[in-house]
Amino acid sequence: MSGGSPKRFLLMRHPGRWDLPKGHAEPGESLRQTALRETQEETGIEASQIVLDPEFSFSLTYPVTYRRHGSQVFVKTVTYFLGLVESEKPIACSEHAGYKWFDWSPPHSIQTQTIDPLLAAVAEHLSRM
């Protein structure tokens, strides 16, 4: 999400859906460190340019399947953080087909499984500030 007005937020484009940078934690790495590293790797935004809101995190658990494992179902837990940047940065996509800075105008209807619940939690969090 970029600071200032108007507020906007960044989503990354996968084939057929919008998503956020994410990945597995390295040994000894906290979830917040993982979020900053993965965001830098997948967007090119330097971790030092991102300020994580210390009072916000949001976790989701849902079933997923991976092509390489056939029809086997895995349970995936993802924890998201609210990262703020001073202004929209140029994005260097490394793992995604594209990206978009969206206007912040809740309620959002982008992707029902993960993005919409996350954005609703962010809206609730920001309304309390």
Side-chain angles (χ1 to χ4, degrees), residues 8-100:
R8 295 168 58 86
F9 61 96
L10 177 66
L11 292 178
M12 307 306 291
R13 189 72 185 161
H14 275 290
R17 66 182 166 89
W18 291 102
D19 206 352
L20 291 159
K22 61 181 179 265
H24 297 280
E26 299 290 336
E29 189 176 58
S30 73
L31 292 179
R32 289 180 181 276
Q33 290 169 326
T34 300
L36 290 170
R37 178 182 52 76
E38 289 289 343
T39 299
Q40 181 172 328
E41 288 175 4
E42 296 181 27
T43 68
I45 300 174
E46 295 291 328
S48 62
Q49 296 176 320
I50 303 168
V51 177
L52 294 182
D53 183 323
E55 298 181 21
F56 182 85
S57 69
F58 181 77
S59 294
L60 286 171
T61 300
Y62 53 92
V64 296
T65 56
Y66 300 100
R67 277 185 244 143
R68 65 182 178 265
H69 294 287
S71 61
Q72 186 176 358
V73 177
F74 297 85
V75 176
K76 182 176 190 173
T77 298
V78 180
T79 300
Y80 296 103
F81 300 97
L82 178 57
L84 304 169
V85 294
E86 284 293 317
S87 61
E88 292 179 23
K89 308 292 184 193
I91 303 301
C93 294
S94 66
E95 298 180 24
H96 303 89
Y99 70 94
K100 181 178 176 181

